Amino acid sequence: MVSIWKLYVLFFKMGIFTFGGGYAMLPILKNEVVDKQKWITEEELLNYYSIGQCTPGIIAVNSASFIGYRMRGFWGMISATLGVISPSIIIILAVASLLRQHMDNQYVQWAFGGIRISVIALIISTVMDMWRKGVKKYRDYIIFAVSSILLMFFNISAVEVVIFAGLSSFIPNYKERNKQ
Amino acid sequence: MIYADLLIEFFKIGLFAIGGGLVTVPFLFELSEKYHWYTSQELMDMIAVSQSTPGPIGVNMATYVGYTTTGIGGGILATLSLVLPSIIVVYIIAKALDKWHENIYVKRILSSIRPAVLSLILFAGLDIAKESITDYKEIIFLIAMILAMRIYKKNVIIYIIMSGIIGLIFQI
C-alpha cells in the first residue's frame, strides 16, 4: 500500500511541475501514477481527472484530492492535497516577499508596466480560447449575453452569476424536448 | 477581522470558481473592490507572478493575495481556505458517485456555467484594462501582444518576460 508520506511527496512534485492552468498536470500524473508506480490504470486516471473538472474548485487540487482518497482514504486525500499546494505556498511567499522589497525600484516598476499589458493580453487570449471551446449552441450564446448584461448594468457578483448560470440549466430546452 | 474575511472569501472562491487557470481572476477583482486589500494593478502583478512560477495558478493567486493582506499567515490561510471546498466535495462524491461526470444533470449544469464564466473573465479583464491602458502606445503594445499570443502560441512565461523587457526599454 502507498504510504501517506509518499503521496505527499508525489503530489508535491505535481505542484512543482504544474505551470499556469492545471491542464499541464495530466501527462505528468500519468507518467508517475500510471506508468511508473502503477497505482491506478490510465482509464481510472482520466476518470478522476474529468470528475475533477466537474466539481467546484481548482482542477489540479480536485484531481489530487480524488487520487489521494482512492489510494489511502481520508488521510490520503488530505496528504495529496497538501502536497499539491505546498510548492505554491513556498515559492509564492518567497517571490512575493522579494518583490515587496524591490517594488519601489524604478527598473522593477518599468518592467511590471510592460508585464501588466501582457497580463491583459493573456486574459483576452484566454477568453478567445474559451469561446472556441465552450460556446457552441444557441443556448450558450444566450447565457453569455444574459451574464454580460447582468454584469454591465446590474451590480451583480461573480458568485451570483455562476449560480444563475447553473440554475438556467434546469430551463427545459425546446429543441431537445421535441426530439424525445 | 481580516483572517475571518480571508477564510470566508477564499472558501467562496474555492466553491464557485469552477474550472482551471484564470477563473479565479474575476472573483479576486471583486475582492479588490470590496476590501481594498490591493489595487487592480497589484492584482495584475500577482497574475503575472502566479503564471510564471510553478504551481496551479489559482493556488498561487490565493497564496499571493493572502500574503498581500496579512503576510505569511494570511498566505497560508487563504490557500487552505481555497482548497477546503474541494476536499469536502471530493470526500462526499468520491464515496457515492463514481460516475459523477457522466451524470446528465452535472453535465448540463457545467456546460451552462462555462459561457457565464467566460463573460466574468472578460469583464474583469476589461475593468483591469481600463485602469492600466492609458495612452495609444499601450494600446498598440496590447494589440501586438494579443496577436503574438494568437499566432505563435508559445508558453505564456515567454510573453511575460518579453513584455517586462519591453517595459524596461520603453519605460512604460
Side-chain angles (χ1 to χ4, degrees), chain A residues 65-78:
Chain A
S65 306
F66 241 105
I67 295 168
Y69 182 81
R70 278 299 146 103
M71 305 312 304
R72 282 301 303 266
F74 179 79
W75 292 108
M77 173 177 81
I78 300 289

Side-chain angles (χ1 to χ4, degrees), chain B residues 134-150:
Chain B
T134 44
D135 62 15
Y136 74 97
K137 203 167 71 180
E138 285 163 353
I139 294 174
I140 294 169
F141 185 20
L142 175 65
I143 294 170
M145 282 312 272
I146 295 172
L147 284 178
M149 281 179 189
R150 303 306 300 171

Side-chain angles (χ1 to χ4, degrees), chain A residues 130-137 140-141 144, chain B residues 114-115 118:
Chain A
M130 290 174 74
W131 182 275
R132 271 221 327 263
K133 281 181 209 145
V135 185
K136 286 179 182 135
K137 289 173 282 183
D140 302 332
Y141 288 98
F144 177 81
Chain B
R114 242 167 253 143
L118 214 154

Side-chain angles (χ1 to χ4, degrees), chain B residues 9-23:
Chain B
E9 293 296 345
F10 277 91
F11 187 88
K12 267 206 292 198
I13 295 176
L15 198 56
F16 288 99
I18 296 168
L22 295 174
V23 275

